[in-house]
Amino acid sequence: MHFSILLLVLSTTASAAVVKTGSTCVVTPLGETRVARSIDAIPAGDRDFGESIAELYKSAGAPGALGHYPRPAPSKGSTPPVYVQPSARESTEVSARSAAAAVDDTPQILDAFKQCGTDGTVIFSEGTFNIRQVMNTTALRNCSIEIHGTFVWPADNIQYWLSHSYSVTYAGRSTAWLFGGRDVSMRGFGKALFNGNGQVWIDQNKNAGNQNGRPISLTIWKGTNIFIDGITWRQAQFWHTFVAHSQNVTMTNLDMNTTSHSQYKAVNTDGVDTWNSRDVRIANWTVGCGDDCISVKGNSTNIHVSNITCYSSGGMCVGSMGSNAGQPDYVDNVVFEDVQLYRSSNAAWIKTYPGSGHVRNVTFRNIHFENVNQPIYVTSCIYSYQNCDSSRLAISNVRWENITGTSRYNVAAAIHCSSSAPCTDFSFSGIDIKPMNGGSAKTLCSNIKNQATSGLTCTGPCPGSQPQQLTGNV
Ligand SMILES: *[C@@H]1O[C@H](CO)[C@@H](O)[C@H](O)[C@H]1NC(C)=O
Ligand SMILES: *[C@@H]1O[C@H](CO)[C@@H](O)[C@H](O)[C@H]1NC(C)=O
Ligand SMILES: *[C@@H]1O[C@H](CO)[C@@H](O)[C@H](O)[C@H]1NC(C)=O
Ligand SMILES: *[C@@H]1O[C@H](CO)[C@@H](O)[C@H](O)[C@H]1NC(C)=O
Ligand SMILES: *[C@@H]1O[C@H](CO)[C@@H](O)[C@H](O)[C@H]1NC(C)=O
Ligand SMILES: *[C@@H]1O[C@H](CO)[C@@H](O)[C@H](O)[C@H]1NC(C)=O
Ligand SMILES: *[C@@H]1O[C@H](CO)[C@@H](O)[C@H](O)[C@H]1NC(C)=O
Ligand SMILES: *[C@@H]1O[C@H](CO)[C@@H](O)[C@H](O)[C@H]1NC(C)=O
Ligand SMILES: *[C@@H]1O[C@H](CO)[C@@H](O)[C@H](O)[C@H]1NC(C)=O
C-alpha cells in the first residue's frame, strides 16, 4: 500500500532526492533528469529505474540488515554490470562532466543514512551518484543498503581529497569513505559500480603510490557484523578496500579492476587489506590491480579467503607488518584457498619488517598460477633487505598445500627467516612449480627450524637480500 504514496511523491517532485517511506529511504541521483510524471505511465523498459519501485521494495524484503540473510543469490544477475570503460580519456571526461555540472550527491546520501541508517533500508536507484566529499557512515545500526547504480568519486577536486580524506591511522593512510556500525549490509547485486577515477590518481602519483591523502575507496571501520556483496570497482583511487578495527566482516562476490592506461603503473591499488580485525570472510572475488590482491596485515585474526582470481597483482599475502619494532603485530589463523593468479609478483607469501609480534597458523591451499615472478616468498626484512636476522617477529605453523603453476624465472620458493627467530612448523605438500620457459626451479631457504621435516627440498640458502621480485634467472 505504501507504494502508491511513494509513487505520488516521485511523480510530483521532479528532482526528488531522498524519499522516505516507513523505514526505507530511496535515493535517486541529483544529476539525472527526472521526468515529472507517474512512473506507471512510463513503459517498464524505459523507466529510470531498471526495476520498478515495487521491485526495489520487493528486493528490500523485510527491512533490516539481518532480515536479508541468508546470503543473496549470486550477485552476477541477469543484468550485466554497467562498466565504465576505464580509459584515461573517459576518466577525464567523467571528471569534466561532473565539474561542469558540479553535481554533488554527498549531502543527500548522508541524509538518507541519517534518516534510515538505524533500523532501516537505504536504496540507491540506478543512475550516477557523484560523490564529491568524504563520507563517515560509521554509526549505522541494523541497516540494509542496496545499490543499483554507479558511485563516481570525481578527481577534478584532488586538492579537496588530499586535505579532507579521513585518517585510517595505518601508515598515515586515509580514506574517502569510513563505513561501519553494527548489523549492516551493503549489496550491489552485480550492478553497483564504484568508479574512483583512479587513472587521475595514478598519473599524478607517477609510479609512487603513497601520496598522503590519496584516499582508499571504502574502509570498513569499527564495524561489527558487516556484509558487503556484489559490488564492482573500476579505477579505484588507492586501495579498493580496507578492513580495520572490525569484526565479523563478510565480503563476497566483488569484482575489482584498476589498470593503468598511461605510462605510469597502478601502484598501491590493493584489493583489500585487513588490520586490527577479526573474523573476516572474503570469497568469490575477481581482482585486477597493480598491487597486493589480498593482504592480511598486523593484528588480523581468523581471516578466511577463498575462491579468488587475481590478475597482475601481488597475490595472497600476509603483511607487510612489524614496521614499528616498539609495537608488536600479530597475525593468527589465516586460510587462503582456491585461488588463481595470473602475471603476479608473488603467489603465497609473507612479508615482515624486522619488528616484533608473530605470524601463526596460516594455510595456503589449492593455489594455482601462471607467470608468477617468485611464487613462494618469505622475508623478515621487506623493502630494506637489511637487519633481516635481527627480526623478532616469529613465523610459525604455516602450511603450503597443493601449490601449482609456473614461475617467471627459475625460483619456485625463496624463504629467509630471521636467525633470531627462526621459522618453525613449516609444512609443504603438493608443491609443483615449473619455470614457464622450461628447466627446473630452485628452492632457496634459510633459518627454517624444521627444514628437514618440512616436506621442502631446499636447493640452497636464501640470502636476506633476496628481492621480492627477480629480474631474471638466479
Ligand atoms: C560464490 O559464487 C557461487 C557461484 O555464483 C555461489 O554459488 C556461492 O554461493 C558464492 N559464495 C559466496 C560465499 O557468496
Ligand atoms: C531491524 O530493523 C527493522 C526495520 O528496518 C526492524 O523491523 C527490525 O526489528 C530491526 N531488528 C532489530 C533486531 O532491531
Ligand atoms: C565518524 O562518525 C562517528 C559517529 O558519528 C564519530 O564518532 C567519529 O568521530 C567520526 N569520525 C570522524 C573521523 O569524523
Ligand atoms: C556475522 O555477520 C553476519 C552477516 O554477515 C550475520 O549473519 C551473523 O549473524 C554474524 N554473526 C554473529 C556471531 O553475530
Ligand atoms: C581490467 O581492465 C582492463 C582494461 O582497463 C582490461 O584490459 C583487463 O582485461 C581487465 N581485467 C580483467 C581481469 O577483466
Ligand atoms: C568463484 O567466484 C566466481 C566470481 O569471482 C564465481 O563466478 C564462481 O562461480 C565461484 N566459484 C565457486 C566454486 O564458488
Ligand atoms: C596489535 O595488538 C597489540 C596487542 O593488543 C597492541 O599492543 C599493538 O599496539 C597492536 N598493533 C597495532 C599496530 O595496532
Ligand atoms: C588454525 O586456523 C584454523 C583456520 O582458521 C582454525 O580452524 C584452527 O583452529 C587454528 N588452530 C589453532 C591451533 O588455533
Ligand atoms: C589442487 O588445487 C586445484 C586448484 O588449483 C584443484 O583443482 C585440485 O582439486 C586440488 N587438489 C587437491 C588434491 O585438493
Side-chain angles (χ1 to χ4, degrees), residues 169-170 245 275-276 298-300 322-324 326-330:
T169 339
Y170 177 81
H245 298 296
W275 182 64
N276 277 299
N299 291 354
S300 293
S323 57
N324 178 349
Q327 196 180 29
D329 261 344
Y330 302 105

Side-chain angles (χ1 to χ4, degrees), residues 23-24 62-67 116 118-121 141-144 183:
S23 59
T24 298
L66 298 180
C116 296
T118 297
D119 297 321
T121 299
R141 293 285 179 278
N142 180 29
C143 175
S144 295
D183 302 327

Side-chain angles (χ1 to χ4, degrees), residues 252-454:
T252 42
N253 306 303
L254 304 184
D255 177 339
M256 304 168 172
N257 188 348
T258 297
T259 300
S260 179
H261 297 269
S262 72
Q263 75 266 39
Y264 300 115
K265 293 185 201 137
V267 181
N268 277 339
T269 48
D270 302 18
V272 66
D273 290 77
T274 68
W275 182 64
N276 277 299
S277 292
R278 59 191 303 126
D279 305 322
V280 178
R281 278 167 291 276
I282 290 169
N284 286 14
W285 292 26
T286 302
V287 180
C289 72
D291 220 299
D292 296 341
C293 186
I294 309 287
S295 168
V296 173
K297 294 193 186 309
N299 291 354
S300 293
T301 306
N302 303 340
I303 311 294
H304 195 274
V305 178
S306 63
N307 187 30
I308 312 288
T309 304
C310 311
Y311 299 86
S312 309
S313 77
M316 300 298 114
C317 172
V318 172
S320 51
M321 56 188 284
S323 57
N324 178 349
Q327 196 180 29
D329 261 344
Y330 302 105
V331 165
D332 288 276
N333 311 340
V334 181
V335 176
F336 298 96
E337 63 186 353
D338 304 327
V339 174
Q340 294 81 44
L341 304 159
Y342 303 93
R343 300 181 306 277
S344 285
S345 64
N346 309 85
W349 61 304
I350 300 174
K351 51 173 166 176
T352 84
Y353 290 93
S356 63
H358 68 231
V359 174
R360 271 186 204 157
N361 190 16
V362 176
T363 302
F364 297 98
R365 182 193 293 140
N366 304 346
I367 315 263
H368 184 76
F369 46 83
E370 287 171 22
N371 188 3
V372 168
N373 187 301
Q374 197 159 232
I376 296 174
Y377 180 70
V378 176
T379 180
S380 52
C381 55
I382 190 71
Y383 306 130
S384 75
Y385 306 110
Q386 282 170 15
N387 305 315
C388 305
D389 291 309
S390 63
S391 178
R392 290 172 293 116
L393 205 161
I395 305 173
S396 65
N397 195 11
V398 184
R399 287 161 295 282
W400 282 266
E401 300 170 357
N402 188 17
I403 313 291
T404 63
T406 57
S407 57
R408 190 166 312 159
Y409 305 113
N410 64 343
V411 177
I415 299 172
H416 183 100
C417 302
S418 166
S419 60
S420 310
C423 295
T424 54
D425 296 319
F426 270 25
S427 139
F428 299 84
S429 62
I431 312 293
D432 184 4
I433 302 171
K434 294 192 169 63
M436 57 189 272
N437 294 322
S440 58
K442 295 185 182 182
T443 294
L444 311 175
C445 339
S446 289
N447 306 320
I448 301 175
K449 208 167 177 183
N450 69 319
Q451 185 176 314
T453 58
S454 68

